[in-house]
Amino acid sequence: MAAGLRTLELEVRGRLDGLLQGNHLGLVPGPGSEPGEARPYQPGDDVRRMDWAVTARTTTPHIRETVADRELETWIVADVSASLDFGTAACEKRDLVVCAAAAVTHLTLGGGNRVGALVSNGAETVRVPARGGRAHARNLVRTIAEMPRAEEGTRGNLAELVDQLRRPPRRRGLAVVVSDFLGDTAWQQPLRGLSARHDLIGVEVLDPRDVDLPEVGDIVLADPETGRQREVHASAQLRKEFAAAAQQHRGEVARALRQAGAGHLVLRTDSDWIADTVRFVVARKRGWSGAAS
């Protein structure tokens, strides 16, 4: 386990290093508390940020921009319930939860930033306090990786887990929810409450068998969170209906995350998760730059 986590850390640092470093305004978009450059006033600007000294000197209305706070507190909600103990490609979905946590800790580490986590397998929940430093980040990722697997029939409750992060209220920061988001979307309401105070990212972890059935004849379908099993014949019609239902659910998840104001990153066990993460982060940075311009 230790060797595997060390290899993961080196891979993450090697391929993601510098992605969000340098001249950027933090991971949370919006105004901060540090004074920045003055610029000409534009309709719609907050008049409370008017820089009267520059305005008087230039005889043109100017406002003083603010630089986003560089100290960031990040919380990771890691769902490692029974439905994530599954994978038919390069790894299990649970492994991708660990990978996502490693990427988030690396991308937010440094500069006085802190990261914490809520980890749940459905039977128990572990809270890792938000702290800074590389040693703490390693311990956080190790805690997620070593979380015991729940017994078959143990149902996870993502809505309750997200709700735990809202109490007590914390300073504005970044919240990252990592799950396969299977089942109903009861988590949407607490997620909306979370996004009212924090920048929010939902990381959806998928396996190919979550979205389509193989053409293999008779198969046994099992729900690890209820223990129920059913033997079916994977006919062309059944595979078509399964794919349609899976696509509909994926659409509901995407819509629920969007309505909650969350960024949506999809990681798959049959895809390069680091490349997918890079594309997501670069797209977010471009989005913020476009909004600022």
Side-chain angles (χ1 to χ4, degrees):
M1 174 69 74
L5 292 177
R6 179 59 178 167
T7 300
L8 172 63
E9 179 184 351
L10 292 174
E11 183 178 12
V12 169
R13 292 175 62 184
R15 295 180 63 185
L16 293 183
D17 195 33
L19 185 61
L20 289 183
Q21 307 303 318
N23 186 23
H24 70 282
L25 301 180
L27 289 180
V28 180
S33 58
E34 300 178 19
E37 298 294 326
R39 65 167 174 80
Y41 172 86
Q42 297 177 356
D45 286 336
D46 188 347
V47 296
R48 292 173 297 180
R49 293 194 288 145
M50 191 74 71
D51 190 319
W52 296 110
V54 177
T55 298
R57 188 169 63 251
T58 63
T59 69
T60 302
H62 276 70
I63 65 167
R64 177 70 61 176
E65 292 186 322
T66 53
V67 179
D69 299 326
R70 292 188 180 276
E71 289 190 5
L72 177 71
E73 182 168 289
T74 299
W75 279 88
I76 301 171
V77 176
D79 175 14
V80 288
S81 55
S83 66
L84 288 108
D85 297 334
F86 173 76
T88 62
C91 62
E92 290 187 346
K93 292 190 288 182
R94 165 188 277 257
D95 298 323
L96 279 187
V97 175
V98 178
C99 292
V104 170
T105 56
H106 176 72
L107 291 173
T108 60
L109 206 59
N113 294 346
R114 299 175 299 280
V115 60
L118 279 176
V119 191
S120 178
N121 62 6
E124 63 174 314
T125 300
V126 174
R127 181 185 293 265
V128 181
R131 296 192 181 114
R134 194 166 298 282
H136 170 73
R138 289 170 179 162
N139 178 67
L140 183 149
V141 175
R142 185 182 304 110
T143 298
I144 298 175
E146 295 179 348
M147 188 70 174
R149 296 174 185 262
E151 294 183 3
E152 185 177 284
T154 302
R155 182 180 292 275
N157 191 330
L158 183 59
E160 182 179 296
L161 187 61
V162 171
D163 206 43
Q164 287 185 41
L165 191 56
R166 298 172 56 200
R167 299 182 176 87
R170 296 174 174 83
R171 59 174 292 184
R172 175 173 168 81
L174 174 66
V176 182
V177 180
V178 190
S179 175
D180 56 10
F181 295 102
L182 293 180
D184 60 48
T185 57
W187 42 264
Q188 183 178 8
Q189 191 63 32
L191 211 62
R192 283 182 174 178
L194 198 61
S195 70
R197 189 172 180 85
H198 304 282
D199 193 38
L200 188 61
I201 297 175
V203 182
E204 184 181 11
V205 178
L206 292 177
D207 184 82
R209 297 288 79 83
D210 288 333
V211 294
D212 62 63
L213 293 177
E215 188 177 358
V216 293
D218 294 334
I219 58 174
V220 177
L221 300 179
D223 183 349
E225 296 199 1
T226 64
R228 290 183 297 181
Q229 295 185 354
R230 182 176 179 181
E231 184 174 350
V232 299
H233 179 70
S235 64
Q237 181 63 27
L238 178 63
R239 295 198 307 275
K240 180 179 179 180
E241 293 175 354
F242 182 92
Q247 183 178 13
Q248 179 181 356
H249 182 68
R250 299 273 70 77
E252 291 173 357
V253 169
R255 184 166 54 253
L257 289 173
R258 184 171 60 253
Q259 291 175 349
H264 185 193
L265 167 61
V266 178
L267 301 180
R268 292 176 55 112
T269 60
D270 60 347
S271 182
D272 184 340
W273 67 272
I274 290 186
D276 293 336
T277 302
V278 168
R279 283 190 290 269
F280 172 79
V281 176
V282 170
R284 277 174 67 84
K285 291 182 70 178
R286 286 175 178 168
W288 294 343
S289 299
S293 61

